[in-house]
Amino acid sequence: MDSNVSKNTNSHNFFKIRLERQKLGISIKNLLKQELLSIVDLYQQKFNVQTEQNAVAGILADKIAISSYQQISVRPQNNRVYFLPAKFSPIIYSCPLGLSLAASWQQTPQSIMQELIHLMTSTTDDSNQNLSDKLLVEAASTGWLNFHLDAKFIAQWLERMLLNRQVQIGTEQQERRVGILSGDLAIAELFFAQYIHARCCSLLRLGTREKLISFSGLAADLEKASWQAEQPSSIAWLDEQGDLWLRSSSEVNLIKQLLIVTDAWQENHLEAYWSKLALSLSQSAAIFLAECRFLGQVKQRYPQKAIARLGLIALIQFWLEKMLREKLEIAAPQEI
């Protein structure tokens, strides 16, 4: 899904849409779906176009996804290519809205996009709004919409996840999950996810001992530890220049995996899907844990980066636990 993202921005339209704070949840896909449904409804009212909302919602549910394209700054030197020290490159969600609606509306994707852009921009009130409450949108002439999630947006999203995390697992379910492994599927594919979960718990304990982060609800019985950060809003996800601390390729890939997990959480998927998703998150987490440390020079020179990385580890632990216990019904061990 990278051909829809412009490499030549001069031929594309960029604008900002306002996001209402009360709508900002953890599923970005659902947020964008709500925004686009409201715009499509305005379009239908204006031009008296009849399309069932469920049909439009189905199109949006299937078509909104994270783009694989990512801009990376490079410079040539001695006939070789070197990667520059990276600033955070926005994560992009894409949707072929104009293409998807062209047939049913009997309009060209270009004409549909032109009117949708007009409706989006005309419904955006610039007064008394902070730029961090807005989302940069790129309207491609091919009928695609690309939503650019910048450093400020991702920082807000990470903070909301830490503030709103709640593990909802009943006592009866806990009692049934007494083993580390359950069934051939778990033995073959999910031990690695269980290991990464236990590794995250170990690192969070280490971060607590190093006084970088603190958690409420810790107990002597490891299986009852909640790993709820005591002051999630105190984590500085952005540096002094307003850039995200978590901007290396392994950190960005991990954030993308967390976005995919949160987008999928309210959807109905089979066990095999959740098994694959848990494994994908675990693999991204393993690369992140190997490449991105929070002790040593990182702690001494950039303590806020170290704390931000621990916050990311807490989110890995949280979502792995939820997938293992609630979707796959196996244990999420806190030590192995």
Side-chain angles (χ1 to χ4, degrees):
M1 287 194 60
D2 55 4
S3 60
N4 54 294
V5 180
S6 171
K7 299 178 179 63
N8 178 12
T9 58
N10 292 328
S11 61
H12 289 68
N13 297 313
F14 286 84
F15 55 95
K16 288 184 180 289
I17 58 172
R18 186 186 63 197
L19 298 175
E20 298 179 18
R21 284 187 176 272
Q22 60 267 29
K23 290 185 179 180
L24 297 180
I26 59 173
S27 172
I28 304 303
K29 180 178 179 179
N30 189 55
L31 169 66
L32 298 179
K33 178 180 173 181
Q34 291 180 45
E35 294 293 326
L36 292 177
L37 278 174
S38 64
I39 294 299
V40 169
D41 185 58
L42 289 176
Y43 184 102
Q44 294 185 106
Q45 293 179 34
K46 181 176 181 180
F47 294 100
N48 194 27
V49 177
Q50 300 298 322
T51 306
E52 289 187 11
Q53 190 175 37
N54 289 339
V56 178
I59 291 173
L60 295 176
D62 292 336
K63 300 297 184 180
I64 299 174
I66 295 177
S67 171
S68 60
Y69 175 73
Q70 183 177 352
Q71 292 180 327
I72 303 176
S73 299
V74 298
R75 66 168 181 266
Q77 182 175 334
N78 298 328
N79 296 322
R80 300 179 65 182
V81 175
Y82 292 84
F83 290 96
L84 292 173
K87 289 180 68 66
F88 179 76
S89 182
I91 295 172
I92 300 171
Y93 274 76
S94 296
C95 177
L97 187 60
L99 286 171
S100 300
L101 297 175
S104 60
W105 288 0
Q106 297 183 348
Q107 298 286 334
T108 65
Q110 292 75 17
S111 62
I112 292 175
M113 293 299 294
Q114 183 177 3
E115 190 59 41
L116 289 176
I117 293 168
H118 174 72
L119 290 172
M120 286 184 184
T121 53
S122 63
T123 56
T124 298
D125 181 7
D126 290 333
S127 62
N128 299 320
Q129 290 291 329
N130 189 291
L131 284 180
S132 62
D133 296 329
K134 297 180 183 178
L135 190 62
L136 181 66
V137 182
E138 174 191 11
S141 58
T142 54
W144 287 77
L145 281 175
N146 302 309
F147 300 87
H148 294 241
L149 278 55
D150 62 10
K152 290 182 179 179
F153 188 98
I154 292 297
Q156 289 182 336
W157 178 74
L158 291 168
E159 181 178 333
R160 285 197 302 275
M161 278 214 292
L162 279 182
L163 284 170
N164 298 331
R165 52 165 284 172
Q166 292 181 352
V167 182
Q168 299 175 347
I169 300 176
T171 303
E172 181 180 350
Q173 290 177 310
Q174 283 275 22
E175 291 174 351
R176 288 195 297 109
R177 299 170 187 145
V178 294
I180 290 180
L181 299 172
S182 175
D184 294 339
L185 179 64
I187 294 174
E189 299 182 4
L190 294 177
F191 176 77
F192 183 65
Q194 293 175 311
Y195 164 76
I196 291 297
H197 179 268
R199 176 67 175 151
C200 288
C201 294
S202 175
L203 292 173
L204 293 175
R205 287 192 290 270
L206 178 57
T208 301
R209 291 196 298 270
E210 293 290 329
K211 301 187 185 305
L212 285 168
I213 195 168
S214 58
F215 299 93
S216 59
L218 294 185
D221 184 353
L222 292 178
E223 290 302 323
K224 295 181 180 179
S226 67
W227 298 114
Q228 173 66 57
E230 286 187 343
Q231 296 180 311
S233 60
S234 67
I235 296 179
W237 299 103
L238 301 175
D239 61 19
E240 294 179 353
Q241 288 72 45
D243 201 5
L244 198 71
W245 280 117
L246 311 169
R247 54 182 181 260
S248 70
S249 60
S250 58
E251 290 167 324
V252 173
N253 287 336
L254 180 55
I255 291 172
K256 285 183 178 181
Q257 283 298 318
L258 287 170
L259 284 163
I260 292 170
V261 172
T262 55
D263 286 340
W265 192 252
Q266 300 301 325
E267 300 173 354
N268 294 321
H269 296 289
L270 299 176
E271 182 180 278
Y273 176 88
W274 291 110
S275 176
K276 181 178 179 180
L277 201 57
L279 185 59
S280 296
L281 178 58
S282 301
Q283 291 170 337
S284 295
I287 296 172
F288 161 74
L289 294 176
E291 296 182 355
C292 303
R293 309 302 174 87
F294 60 84
L295 295 179
Q297 290 187 356
V298 176
K299 177 186 175 182
Q300 294 173 6
R301 297 181 60 186
Y302 307 107
Q304 292 302 325
K305 175 185 281 191
I307 295 171
R309 284 177 171 173
L310 280 166
L312 196 54
I313 292 172
L315 290 174
I316 301 168
Q317 178 275 324
F318 172 69
W319 284 107
L320 278 178
E321 181 179 45
K322 286 183 75 66
M323 281 193 287
L324 290 170
R325 291 186 170 181
E326 297 184 25
K327 300 298 185 181
L328 298 168
E329 296 193 353
I330 63 173
Q334 299 209 13
E335 63 179 359
I336 293 180

